Amino acid sequence: MTKTQGDATMKSRSPFHFKVLCFTLVIAMFISSAAATISEEFYENDEDPDMGNSFDPDLEDAHIEAQLLAEEEKLAAEQAERKRLQREKEFEVELSKMNEEQRKLAQKQKRLDAKVVRKIMKASKRKKHYLVLGLRNFETNIGPLTLFHISTSDVKKAYRKLSKAVHPDKNKDGMAEEAFHALEFSASVLSDEGLRKDYDRNVAILRKTQREERIQMVTDSIEFVYRRVSPVFKIVYRVLKPFWTPILVLGVLII
């Protein structure tokens, strides 16, 4: 092929390349516009259409009760923080009376104590009574059979073991007292058959609800994206349908 023929071929291809480029930009604009409206529609759907239409005394009472509960929790947290600081000061006083070797051992033990306390407090805040006691509840019912059942004696055994490690007289962490109370509360719930059944039932209901909500959220997201994107792809298909063969040939040539 001569140089003149090559230039002629390139000129003949240039308009087609320009059209493909322009069409690609149009498609990108359509898709970005559809994606930009996703978050807006989600926010619009979250708005309550009945908000402000009427006064509900039950909601007002619930709001007041929630405020009182929040204030109580705030006061309890402040009291716990004061106790923690006081215990930390007492520990520092004890350290000042020790030699270098004793101080290192005491600080090492305090780090271990803090690890136990943090684990208990984390599980307690999540209301995971089994985890507070260091237990894993894998109980499964298969017809009349119950597998991996945690007995009351298992609960008491776990409580006795942890109570020794987290008791404020032995554990030097500042939050040891709060962790000990959390441990006592979880043990009292799981040691009582009635309270334990209620707790297990509520946990099962919560897990089922959360699982259904996650499935529904994924389904709604897929359906929403499909509704937004499918018209764009239909337009793309209709426009590009006569050009599939040239596009494939062009792609082969580019590759």
Side-chain angles (χ1 to χ4, degrees), residues 58-184:
D58 293 336
L59 292 177
E60 182 66 18
D61 293 341
H63 180 65
I64 295 174
E65 184 177 354
Q67 286 183 333
L68 293 175
L69 181 60
E71 291 178 0
E72 292 178 359
E73 291 179 350
K74 182 179 179 181
L75 292 175
E78 292 175 352
Q79 184 179 4
E81 180 63 15
R82 286 195 295 269
K83 289 182 179 180
R84 187 189 70 80
L85 294 175
Q86 181 62 32
R87 286 177 59 84
E88 293 291 345
K89 290 181 181 179
E90 293 174 356
F91 181 72
E92 292 296 331
V93 172
E94 293 179 5
L95 286 179
S96 64
K97 299 177 182 180
M98 300 177 183
N99 57 37
E100 187 67 22
E101 187 67 24
Q102 291 174 336
R103 190 178 297 110
K104 289 182 180 180
L105 292 175
Q107 290 174 338
K108 181 179 180 181
Q109 182 60 44
K110 187 173 184 296
R111 287 192 293 270
L112 296 175
D113 293 343
K115 186 176 180 180
V116 176
V117 169
R118 284 196 301 268
K119 185 176 180 181
I120 291 175
M121 294 303 296
K122 181 179 179 180
S124 178
K125 288 179 181 179
R126 297 167 59 195
K127 301 186 185 302
K128 304 284 188 178
H129 294 314
Y130 289 100
L131 286 181
V132 169
L133 293 166
L135 299 172
R136 294 281 184 175
N137 184 23
F138 298 112
E139 183 172 318
T140 304
N141 294 322
I142 303 177
L145 299 177
T146 300
L147 304 178
F148 310 112
H149 176 69
I150 298 176
S151 64
T152 303
S153 61
D154 295 329
V155 172
K156 293 180 179 180
K157 182 179 179 180
Y159 168 73
R160 287 193 298 268
K161 179 181 177 181
L162 276 176
S163 63
K164 294 177 182 178
V166 80
H167 195 280
D169 292 341
K170 182 178 180 181
N171 192 299
K172 298 301 181 183
D173 186 77
M175 297 293 293
E177 186 173 348
E178 286 71 25
F180 185 75
H181 291 324
L183 184 67
E184 285 186 323

Side-chain angles (χ1 to χ4, degrees), residues 1 3 6 9 16 23 31 53 56 69 76 89 98 105 109 115 138 152 162 171 182 187 190 198-199 208-209 219 242:
M1 181 182 293
K3 181 177 180 180
T9 303
F16 180 74
F23 187 75
I31 294 175
N53 291 341
D56 192 339
L69 181 60
K89 290 181 181 179
M98 300 177 183
L105 292 175
Q109 182 60 44
K115 186 176 180 180
F138 298 112
T152 303
L162 276 176
N171 192 299
L190 298 182
D198 291 339
Y199 171 72
K208 182 180 179 181
T209 303
T219 304

